[in-house]
Short mmCIF file of all heavy atoms in Angstrom, two decimals:
data_model
loop_
_atom_site.label_atom_id
_atom_site.label_comp_id
_atom_site.label_asym_id
_atom_site.label_seq_id
_atom_site.Cartn_x
_atom_site.Cartn_y
_atom_site.Cartn_z
N MET A 1 -4.41 -7.81 7.25
CA MET A 1 -3.16 -7.09 6.97
C MET A 1 -2.93 -6.04 8.05
O MET A 1 -3.79 -5.22 8.32
CB MET A 1 -3.25 -6.43 5.60
CG MET A 1 -2.00 -5.60 5.28
SD MET A 1 -2.07 -4.96 3.63
CE MET A 1 -0.57 -3.98 3.62
N GLY A 2 -1.79 -6.07 8.66
CA GLY A 2 -1.50 -5.10 9.72
C GLY A 2 -0.56 -4.02 9.23
O GLY A 2 0.43 -4.30 8.58
N SER A 3 -0.90 -2.80 9.52
CA SER A 3 -0.06 -1.69 9.07
C SER A 3 1.27 -1.68 9.82
O SER A 3 2.20 -1.00 9.42
CB SER A 3 -0.78 -0.37 9.29
OG SER A 3 -1.11 -0.21 10.65
N GLU A 4 1.39 -2.47 10.90
CA GLU A 4 2.64 -2.50 11.66
C GLU A 4 3.77 -3.13 10.87
O GLU A 4 4.93 -2.94 11.17
CB GLU A 4 2.45 -3.28 12.96
CG GLU A 4 1.42 -2.67 13.90
CD GLU A 4 0.01 -3.07 13.50
OE1 GLU A 4 -0.13 -3.98 12.68
OE2 GLU A 4 -0.95 -2.46 14.01
N ASP A 5 3.41 -3.92 9.86
CA ASP A 5 4.42 -4.67 9.11
C ASP A 5 4.89 -3.94 7.86
O ASP A 5 5.71 -4.48 7.13
CB ASP A 5 3.87 -6.04 8.72
CG ASP A 5 3.50 -6.86 9.95
OD1 ASP A 5 4.20 -6.72 10.98
OD2 ASP A 5 2.54 -7.62 9.88
N LEU A 6 4.37 -2.76 7.61
CA LEU A 6 4.73 -2.06 6.38
C LEU A 6 6.20 -1.66 6.42
O LEU A 6 6.71 -1.19 7.41
CB LEU A 6 3.87 -0.81 6.23
CG LEU A 6 2.40 -1.10 5.92
CD1 LEU A 6 1.63 0.21 5.89
CD2 LEU A 6 2.25 -1.81 4.60
N VAL A 7 6.88 -1.88 5.29
CA VAL A 7 8.29 -1.52 5.17
C VAL A 7 8.42 -0.28 4.30
O VAL A 7 7.81 -0.18 3.24
CB VAL A 7 9.08 -2.69 4.55
CG1 VAL A 7 10.53 -2.29 4.31
CG2 VAL A 7 9.00 -3.91 5.45
N CYS A 8 9.23 0.63 4.77
CA CYS A 8 9.41 1.89 4.07
C CYS A 8 10.22 1.70 2.79
O CYS A 8 11.23 1.00 2.77
CB CYS A 8 10.13 2.88 4.99
SG CYS A 8 10.51 4.44 4.19
N ALA A 9 9.78 2.35 1.72
CA ALA A 9 10.50 2.26 0.45
C ALA A 9 11.73 3.16 0.44
O ALA A 9 12.62 2.99 -0.37
CB ALA A 9 9.57 2.67 -0.70
N SER A 10 11.78 4.08 1.38
CA SER A 10 12.87 5.04 1.39
C SER A 10 14.07 4.55 2.19
O SER A 10 15.20 4.64 1.77
CB SER A 10 12.36 6.36 1.96
OG SER A 10 13.38 7.31 1.96
N CYS A 11 13.81 4.01 3.39
CA CYS A 11 14.91 3.61 4.27
C CYS A 11 14.91 2.11 4.55
O CYS A 11 15.77 1.61 5.25
CB CYS A 11 14.85 4.38 5.58
SG CYS A 11 13.43 3.96 6.60
N SER A 12 13.94 1.39 4.02
CA SER A 12 13.84 -0.07 4.19
C SER A 12 13.61 -0.49 5.64
O SER A 12 13.76 -1.66 5.97
CB SER A 12 15.10 -0.77 3.65
OG SER A 12 15.21 -0.53 2.26
N GLY A 13 13.27 0.44 6.48
CA GLY A 13 12.93 0.10 7.86
C GLY A 13 11.42 -0.01 8.01
O GLY A 13 10.67 0.29 7.09
N LEU A 14 11.00 -0.45 9.19
CA LEU A 14 9.57 -0.51 9.44
C LEU A 14 9.02 0.90 9.55
O LEU A 14 9.61 1.77 10.20
CB LEU A 14 9.30 -1.27 10.74
CG LEU A 14 9.58 -2.78 10.68
CD1 LEU A 14 9.37 -3.39 12.06
CD2 LEU A 14 8.70 -3.46 9.66
N VAL A 15 7.88 1.10 8.90
CA VAL A 15 7.27 2.44 8.88
C VAL A 15 6.97 2.92 10.30
O VAL A 15 7.15 4.10 10.62
CB VAL A 15 6.00 2.42 8.01
CG1 VAL A 15 5.18 3.69 8.21
CG2 VAL A 15 6.38 2.27 6.54
N ILE A 16 6.54 1.99 11.15
CA ILE A 16 6.16 2.40 12.51
C ILE A 16 7.34 2.89 13.31
O ILE A 16 7.17 3.57 14.32
CB ILE A 16 5.48 1.24 13.27
CG1 ILE A 16 6.37 0.02 13.31
CG2 ILE A 16 4.13 0.91 12.66
CD1 ILE A 16 5.92 -1.00 14.35
N GLU A 17 8.56 2.58 12.88
CA GLU A 17 9.74 3.05 13.60
C GLU A 17 10.08 4.49 13.27
O GLU A 17 10.84 5.14 14.00
CB GLU A 17 10.93 2.13 13.29
CG GLU A 17 10.74 0.73 13.86
CD GLU A 17 11.94 -0.16 13.56
OE1 GLU A 17 12.91 0.31 12.97
OE2 GLU A 17 11.88 -1.35 13.93
N GLY A 18 9.57 4.99 12.16
CA GLY A 18 9.74 6.40 11.82
C GLY A 18 11.18 6.82 11.64
O GLY A 18 11.61 7.84 12.17
N ARG A 19 11.94 6.07 10.89
CA ARG A 19 13.36 6.38 10.73
C ARG A 19 13.63 7.55 9.79
O ARG A 19 14.70 8.16 9.85
CB ARG A 19 14.10 5.15 10.19
CG ARG A 19 14.12 4.01 11.20
CD ARG A 19 14.88 2.84 10.61
NE ARG A 19 14.77 1.67 11.47
CZ ARG A 19 15.33 0.50 11.18
NH1 ARG A 19 16.03 0.36 10.08
NH2 ARG A 19 15.18 -0.52 11.99
N CYS A 20 12.74 7.82 8.88
CA CYS A 20 12.95 8.90 7.92
C CYS A 20 11.64 9.67 7.74
O CYS A 20 10.59 9.22 8.18
CB CYS A 20 13.45 8.34 6.59
SG CYS A 20 12.17 7.48 5.66
N PRO A 21 11.70 10.82 7.10
CA PRO A 21 10.48 11.62 6.90
C PRO A 21 9.38 10.85 6.20
O PRO A 21 8.19 11.05 6.50
CB PRO A 21 10.97 12.79 6.04
CG PRO A 21 12.41 12.93 6.40
CD PRO A 21 12.91 11.52 6.63
N THR A 22 9.75 9.98 5.27
CA THR A 22 8.73 9.18 4.58
C THR A 22 8.01 8.27 5.56
O THR A 22 6.79 8.13 5.53
CB THR A 22 9.38 8.35 3.46
OG1 THR A 22 10.08 9.23 2.59
CG2 THR A 22 8.34 7.58 2.69
N CYS A 23 8.79 7.64 6.44
CA CYS A 23 8.21 6.77 7.47
C CYS A 23 7.24 7.56 8.34
O CYS A 23 6.13 7.13 8.61
CB CYS A 23 9.30 6.20 8.36
SG CYS A 23 10.30 4.95 7.60
N ARG A 24 7.69 8.69 8.80
CA ARG A 24 6.88 9.46 9.74
C ARG A 24 5.60 9.95 9.08
O ARG A 24 4.53 9.93 9.70
CB ARG A 24 7.69 10.64 10.28
CG ARG A 24 8.73 10.18 11.29
CD ARG A 24 9.35 11.35 12.02
NE ARG A 24 10.31 12.06 11.17
CZ ARG A 24 11.59 11.74 11.05
NH1 ARG A 24 12.08 10.73 11.71
NH2 ARG A 24 12.39 12.43 10.28
N ALA A 25 5.69 10.35 7.83
CA ALA A 25 4.49 10.79 7.12
C ALA A 25 3.53 9.63 6.93
O ALA A 25 2.32 9.76 7.13
CB ALA A 25 4.89 11.39 5.76
N SER A 26 4.07 8.48 6.56
CA SER A 26 3.23 7.31 6.35
C SER A 26 2.59 6.86 7.66
O SER A 26 1.41 6.53 7.72
CB SER A 26 4.06 6.16 5.78
OG SER A 26 4.64 6.55 4.57
N ARG A 27 3.38 6.85 8.71
CA ARG A 27 2.88 6.42 10.02
C ARG A 27 1.77 7.34 10.49
O ARG A 27 0.74 6.89 11.00
CB ARG A 27 4.04 6.43 11.02
CG ARG A 27 3.65 5.91 12.39
CD ARG A 27 4.83 5.89 13.33
NE ARG A 27 5.42 7.22 13.46
CZ ARG A 27 6.45 7.51 14.24
NH1 ARG A 27 7.03 6.57 14.92
NH2 ARG A 27 6.92 8.72 14.32
N GLU A 28 1.98 8.63 10.31
CA GLU A 28 0.97 9.59 10.74
C GLU A 28 -0.31 9.40 9.94
O GLU A 28 -1.41 9.43 10.48
CB GLU A 28 1.50 11.01 10.56
CG GLU A 28 0.59 12.07 11.14
CD GLU A 28 0.49 11.94 12.65
OE1 GLU A 28 1.40 11.38 13.30
OE2 GLU A 28 -0.53 12.37 13.20
N TYR A 29 -0.16 9.16 8.65
CA TYR A 29 -1.32 8.95 7.80
C TYR A 29 -2.07 7.70 8.23
O TYR A 29 -3.29 7.69 8.35
CB TYR A 29 -0.88 8.84 6.34
CG TYR A 29 -2.04 8.82 5.39
CD1 TYR A 29 -2.51 10.00 4.82
CD2 TYR A 29 -2.69 7.62 5.08
CE1 TYR A 29 -3.58 9.99 3.96
CE2 TYR A 29 -3.77 7.61 4.22
CZ TYR A 29 -4.21 8.79 3.66
OH TYR A 29 -5.28 8.77 2.83
N LEU A 30 -1.33 6.64 8.47
CA LEU A 30 -1.95 5.37 8.88
C LEU A 30 -2.66 5.53 10.22
O LEU A 30 -3.74 4.98 10.43
CB LEU A 30 -0.88 4.28 8.98
CG LEU A 30 -0.31 3.84 7.64
CD1 LEU A 30 0.87 2.92 7.87
CD2 LEU A 30 -1.36 3.14 6.81
N ARG A 31 -2.05 6.27 11.11
CA ARG A 31 -2.64 6.45 12.43
C ARG A 31 -3.97 7.20 12.32
O ARG A 31 -4.95 6.86 12.96
CB ARG A 31 -1.67 7.22 13.31
CG ARG A 31 -2.15 7.31 14.75
CD ARG A 31 -1.10 8.00 15.60
NE ARG A 31 0.12 7.21 15.70
CZ ARG A 31 1.30 7.69 16.10
NH1 ARG A 31 1.41 8.95 16.40
NH2 ARG A 31 2.34 6.91 16.18
N ARG A 32 -3.97 8.21 11.50
CA ARG A 32 -5.19 9.02 11.37
C ARG A 32 -6.30 8.25 10.66
O ARG A 32 -7.47 8.53 10.86
CB ARG A 32 -4.89 10.29 10.57
CG ARG A 32 -4.06 11.28 11.34
CD ARG A 32 -3.85 12.53 10.52
NE ARG A 32 -2.94 13.45 11.19
CZ ARG A 32 -2.55 14.61 10.68
NH1 ARG A 32 -2.97 14.97 9.49
NH2 ARG A 32 -1.75 15.40 11.33
N ASN A 33 -5.91 7.34 9.80
CA ASN A 33 -6.90 6.65 8.99
C ASN A 33 -7.01 5.17 9.33
O ASN A 33 -7.53 4.39 8.55
CB ASN A 33 -6.54 6.81 7.51
CG ASN A 33 -6.57 8.26 7.08
OD1 ASN A 33 -7.62 8.81 6.79
ND2 ASN A 33 -5.41 8.89 7.08
N SER A 34 -6.54 4.81 10.49
CA SER A 34 -6.45 3.39 10.82
C SER A 34 -7.82 2.73 10.92
O SER A 34 -7.93 1.52 10.78
CB SER A 34 -5.70 3.21 12.13
OG SER A 34 -6.39 3.89 13.16
N VAL A 35 -8.86 3.49 11.15
CA VAL A 35 -10.18 2.91 11.32
C VAL A 35 -10.82 2.61 9.98
O VAL A 35 -11.42 1.56 9.78
CB VAL A 35 -11.08 3.84 12.15
CG1 VAL A 35 -12.48 3.25 12.26
CG2 VAL A 35 -10.48 4.06 13.53
N THR A 36 -10.65 3.54 9.06
CA THR A 36 -11.38 3.43 7.80
C THR A 36 -10.51 3.01 6.62
O THR A 36 -11.03 2.70 5.56
CB THR A 36 -12.05 4.77 7.46
OG1 THR A 36 -11.05 5.77 7.41
CG2 THR A 36 -13.08 5.14 8.50
N ILE A 37 -9.19 3.00 6.82
CA ILE A 37 -8.31 2.72 5.69
C ILE A 37 -8.42 1.26 5.25
O ILE A 37 -8.62 0.37 6.06
CB ILE A 37 -6.85 3.08 6.05
CG1 ILE A 37 -6.03 3.23 4.79
CG2 ILE A 37 -6.26 2.03 6.98
CD1 ILE A 37 -4.67 3.86 5.04
N SER A 38 -8.29 1.05 3.98
CA SER A 38 -8.37 -0.30 3.44
C SER A 38 -6.99 -0.72 2.93
O SER A 38 -6.17 0.13 2.58
CB SER A 38 -9.37 -0.35 2.29
OG SER A 38 -8.88 0.40 1.20
N PRO A 39 -6.73 -2.02 2.89
CA PRO A 39 -5.43 -2.49 2.38
C PRO A 39 -5.14 -1.99 0.97
O PRO A 39 -4.01 -1.66 0.64
CB PRO A 39 -5.57 -4.01 2.40
CG PRO A 39 -6.58 -4.27 3.47
CD PRO A 39 -7.54 -3.10 3.41
N GLN A 40 -6.19 -1.91 0.16
CA GLN A 40 -5.99 -1.43 -1.21
C GLN A 40 -5.50 0.01 -1.21
O GLN A 40 -4.64 0.41 -1.98
CB GLN A 40 -7.30 -1.52 -2.00
CG GLN A 40 -7.69 -2.94 -2.35
CD GLN A 40 -8.37 -3.67 -1.20
OE1 GLN A 40 -8.71 -3.06 -0.20
NE2 GLN A 40 -8.55 -4.96 -1.34
N LEU A 41 -6.05 0.79 -0.29
CA LEU A 41 -5.64 2.19 -0.21
C LEU A 41 -4.20 2.31 0.28
O LEU A 41 -3.44 3.13 -0.20
CB LEU A 41 -6.60 2.95 0.72
CG LEU A 41 -6.37 4.46 0.80
CD1 LEU A 41 -6.42 5.08 -0.60
CD2 LEU A 41 -7.43 5.10 1.68
N ILE A 42 -3.85 1.46 1.25
CA ILE A 42 -2.47 1.45 1.74
C ILE A 42 -1.50 1.15 0.60
O ILE A 42 -0.49 1.81 0.43
CB ILE A 42 -2.31 0.42 2.87
CG1 ILE A 42 -3.10 0.85 4.10
CG2 ILE A 42 -0.82 0.25 3.24
CD1 ILE A 42 -3.12 -0.18 5.20
N LEU A 43 -1.83 0.15 -0.20
CA LEU A 43 -0.96 -0.21 -1.32
C LEU A 43 -0.86 0.94 -2.31
O LEU A 43 0.22 1.22 -2.84
CB LEU A 43 -1.51 -1.46 -2.02
CG LEU A 43 -1.36 -2.75 -1.22
CD1 LEU A 43 -2.05 -3.90 -1.96
CD2 LEU A 43 0.11 -3.08 -0.99
N ALA A 44 -1.96 1.61 -2.56
CA ALA A 44 -1.94 2.74 -3.48
C ALA A 44 -1.06 3.86 -2.94
O ALA A 44 -0.27 4.46 -3.67
CB ALA A 44 -3.37 3.26 -3.70
N ILE A 45 -1.17 4.11 -1.64
CA ILE A 45 -0.35 5.16 -1.01
C ILE A 45 1.12 4.78 -1.09
O ILE A 45 1.97 5.61 -1.42
CB ILE A 45 -0.79 5.35 0.45
CG1 ILE A 45 -2.20 5.95 0.49
CG2 ILE A 45 0.19 6.27 1.19
CD1 ILE A 45 -2.84 5.85 1.85
N LEU A 46 1.42 3.53 -0.79
CA LEU A 46 2.81 3.08 -0.85
C LEU A 46 3.37 3.20 -2.26
O LEU A 46 4.53 3.57 -2.45
CB LEU A 46 2.91 1.63 -0.36
CG LEU A 46 2.78 1.47 1.16
CD1 LEU A 46 2.84 -0.01 1.52
CD2 LEU A 46 3.87 2.22 1.89
N ALA A 47 2.56 2.87 -3.25
CA ALA A 47 3.01 2.99 -4.63
C ALA A 47 3.35 4.43 -4.96
O ALA A 47 4.36 4.71 -5.61
CB ALA A 47 1.93 2.47 -5.57
N ILE A 48 2.52 5.34 -4.48
CA ILE A 48 2.78 6.77 -4.71
C ILE A 48 4.06 7.20 -4.00
O ILE A 48 4.90 7.91 -4.56
CB ILE A 48 1.58 7.60 -4.22
CG1 ILE A 48 0.37 7.33 -5.11
CG2 ILE A 48 1.93 9.09 -4.22
CD1 ILE A 48 -0.92 7.90 -4.56
N ILE A 49 4.22 6.75 -2.75
CA ILE A 49 5.43 7.10 -1.99
C ILE A 49 6.68 6.58 -2.69
O ILE A 49 7.68 7.27 -2.81
CB ILE A 49 5.32 6.55 -0.55
CG1 ILE A 49 4.25 7.32 0.22
CG2 ILE A 49 6.68 6.66 0.17
CD1 ILE A 49 3.92 6.72 1.57
N MET A 50 6.60 5.33 -3.16
CA MET A 50 7.76 4.74 -3.84
C MET A 50 8.10 5.52 -5.11
O MET A 50 9.26 5.74 -5.44
CB MET A 50 7.49 3.28 -4.17
CG MET A 50 7.71 2.39 -2.96
SD MET A 50 7.67 0.64 -3.38
CE MET A 50 5.93 0.33 -3.29
N MET A 51 7.05 5.94 -5.83
CA MET A 51 7.26 6.69 -7.05
C MET A 51 7.93 8.03 -6.74
O MET A 51 8.88 8.44 -7.38
CB MET A 51 5.92 6.92 -7.75
CG MET A 51 6.04 7.51 -9.13
SD MET A 51 4.42 7.64 -9.88
CE MET A 51 3.67 8.90 -8.86
N LEU A 52 7.43 8.70 -5.70
CA LEU A 52 8.00 9.98 -5.31
C LEU A 52 9.43 9.81 -4.84
O LEU A 52 10.30 10.64 -5.10
CB LEU A 52 7.15 10.61 -4.20
CG LEU A 52 5.76 11.06 -4.63
CD1 LEU A 52 4.97 11.55 -3.42
CD2 LEU A 52 5.86 12.17 -5.67
N THR A 53 9.69 8.73 -4.11
CA THR A 53 11.05 8.47 -3.63
C THR A 53 12.00 8.25 -4.79
O THR A 53 13.11 8.77 -4.82
CB THR A 53 11.05 7.24 -2.71
OG1 THR A 53 10.16 7.48 -1.63
CG2 THR A 53 12.44 6.97 -2.17
N ALA A 54 11.55 7.49 -5.78
CA ALA A 54 12.39 7.25 -6.95
C ALA A 54 12.70 8.55 -7.67
O ALA A 54 13.83 8.79 -8.10
CB ALA A 54 11.68 6.28 -7.89
N LEU A 55 11.71 9.42 -7.76
CA LEU A 55 11.93 10.71 -8.40
C LEU A 55 12.90 11.55 -7.59
O LEU A 55 13.78 12.20 -8.13
CB LEU A 55 10.59 11.44 -8.53
CG LEU A 55 9.65 10.88 -9.60
CD1 LEU A 55 8.30 11.58 -9.51
CD2 LEU A 55 10.23 11.05 -10.99
N ALA A 56 12.76 11.51 -6.27
CA ALA A 56 13.64 12.30 -5.41
C ALA A 56 15.08 11.82 -5.53
O ALA A 56 16.01 12.63 -5.56
CB ALA A 56 13.16 12.20 -3.96
N VAL A 57 15.26 10.51 -5.59
CA VAL A 57 16.60 9.96 -5.72
C VAL A 57 17.22 10.40 -7.04
O VAL A 57 18.38 10.76 -7.11
CB VAL A 57 16.56 8.42 -5.62
CG1 VAL A 57 17.90 7.82 -6.03
CG2 VAL A 57 16.20 8.00 -4.20
N ARG A 58 16.42 10.38 -8.08
CA ARG A 58 16.94 10.77 -9.38
C ARG A 58 17.35 12.24 -9.39
O ARG A 58 18.35 12.62 -9.97
CB ARG A 58 15.85 10.55 -10.45
CG ARG A 58 16.06 9.24 -11.18
CD ARG A 58 15.02 9.04 -12.27
NE ARG A 58 14.56 7.66 -12.24
CZ ARG A 58 13.49 7.25 -12.92
NH1 ARG A 58 12.79 8.10 -13.61
NH2 ARG A 58 13.13 6.01 -12.86
N HIS A 59 16.56 13.07 -8.70
CA HIS A 59 16.89 14.49 -8.67
C HIS A 59 18.10 14.77 -7.80
O HIS A 59 18.79 15.75 -8.00
CB HIS A 59 15.68 15.28 -8.13
CG HIS A 59 14.63 15.51 -9.18
ND1 HIS A 59 14.80 16.39 -10.23
CD2 HIS A 59 13.42 14.98 -9.36
CE1 HIS A 59 13.72 16.37 -11.00
NE2 HIS A 59 12.86 15.51 -10.49
N ALA A 60 18.34 13.90 -6.81
CA ALA A 60 19.43 14.13 -5.87
C ALA A 60 20.77 13.82 -6.49
O ALA A 60 21.79 14.37 -6.07
CB ALA A 60 19.22 13.26 -4.63
N THR A 61 20.80 12.96 -7.48
CA THR A 61 22.08 12.57 -8.05
C THR A 61 22.45 13.42 -9.26
O THR A 61 21.62 13.99 -9.88
CB THR A 61 22.06 11.08 -8.48
OG1 THR A 61 20.92 10.87 -9.31
CG2 THR A 61 21.98 10.20 -7.28
ZN1 ZN B 101 11.68 5.35 5.95
#
């Protein structure tokens, strides 16, 4: 599994492109942990990001 293919839950762009703050935070995290990070951990992080994004959207409206 390559972290290059991760799609952002916030802007639907590739995380590595860094189109939004969520992308940039995720990309930075992946870069720092690219050696030791596991796919399971990536999925867990993405689930948390998606949950936070959903909450943010709800608060924004
Ligand atoms: Zn994004």
Side-chain angles (χ1 to χ4, degrees):
M1 177 175 177
S3 59
E4 298 82 13
D5 299 326
L6 291 176
V7 175
C8 177
S10 181
C11 68
S12 297
L14 290 176
V15 168
I16 56 165
E17 293 181 3
R19 292 181 188 179
C20 73
T22 304
C23 287
R24 286 191 285 273
S26 301
R27 184 178 58 178
E28 187 65 24
Y29 188 93
L30 290 171
R31 186 176 294 163
R32 288 183 186 178
N33 297 278
S34 60
V35 177
T36 57
I37 198 168
S38 67
Q40 288 81 10
L41 185 55
I42 293 174
L43 289 175
I45 292 165
L46 285 178
I48 292 169
I49 290 171
M50 280 190 274
M51 189 177 68
L52 291 175
T53 302
L55 287 173
V57 169
R58 262 182 223 168
H59 280 288
T61 52

